Amino acid sequence: LTRPVRATRSAPAQFLSPGQWVGEVVRAGAGVDGVRPGQLVVGLAGVSGLASHVTCSATAVHALPADVDATKVAASLGAYLGAMYILRHVIHLQPGERVLVNGETGEAIAAALLARRAGAQVLALTRSGQTAEALRAVGVEPVFQTVEAVHERFSPSRGEWIDVVYECGDASGDGLEQLPISPEGPCVLSAQGR
């Protein structure tokens, strides 16, 4: 049972389908693992989130890191759920992989948070000072402003590769062919921002 968090004036909501919500777990059934009362979760299920409380399967929710602002997640839930799907089901992200998140908006922050939570080493490329600040605030380091800076820091000749590139739909993509991407690593372009 979760209590949905609503967006505030400072974090206006994007359109959400009724089956998407961010909330606090109020109660968990016997034998439920992975969620506990008081924990913030994001939900995607075939039940409506447009209510004071939602009852759903524990498999329909994903726990949020404790340091996440729930109203900001609610305001950018589409980006968060899209990033979650891509990292889990398209990339099959593994702990320890080096992920470069390239983008300017909430999708980049969502992808970085989720990748960190999955145990990846996350770095970012963004030309936006505001996004760079937000990425650093959630523990992403280093944050680069140019492809050249990424290339200077990581070099295949030193055995330094980027395992995964997650390019958000709002990123320019200019110069990505210069990056030291692992030959086995996926490069994913998300069209969410376009």
Side-chain angles (χ1 to χ4, degrees), residues 90-91 97 163-166 181-182 184-188:
V90 176
I91 295 174
E97 287 186 311
D163 299 306
V164 175
V165 175
Y166 185 110
I181 301 170
S182 170
E184 292 83 35
C187 182
V188 175

Side-chain angles (χ1 to χ4, degrees), residues 121-185:
Q121 177 188 349
V122 182
L123 49 138
L125 173 62
T126 181
R127 290 168 181 78
S128 164
Q130 185 177 10
T131 302
E133 184 179 310
L135 286 161
R136 287 186 182 102
V138 298
V140 176
E141 199 59 54
V143 178
F144 300 98
Q145 290 192 310
T146 66
V147 172
E148 293 77 22
V150 176
H151 199 273
E152 287 173 16
R153 168 58 182 82
F154 295 97
S155 169
S157 65
R158 294 190 302 261
E160 299 171 332
W161 297 95
I162 295 170
D163 299 306
V164 175
V165 175
Y166 185 110
E167 180 161 334
C168 302
D170 61 337
S172 72
D174 295 338
L176 288 180
E177 67 280 354
Q178 299 172 25
L179 292 175
I181 301 170
S182 170
E184 292 83 35

Side-chain angles (χ1 to χ4, degrees), residues 8 10 13 25-26 56 65 113-114 117 119-120 132 135 150 161-162 174-175 184:
T8 65
S10 63
V25 176
V26 176
C56 67
L113 274 170
L114 289 164
R117 188 165 185 271
L135 286 161
V150 176
W161 297 95
I162 295 170
D174 295 338
E184 292 83 35

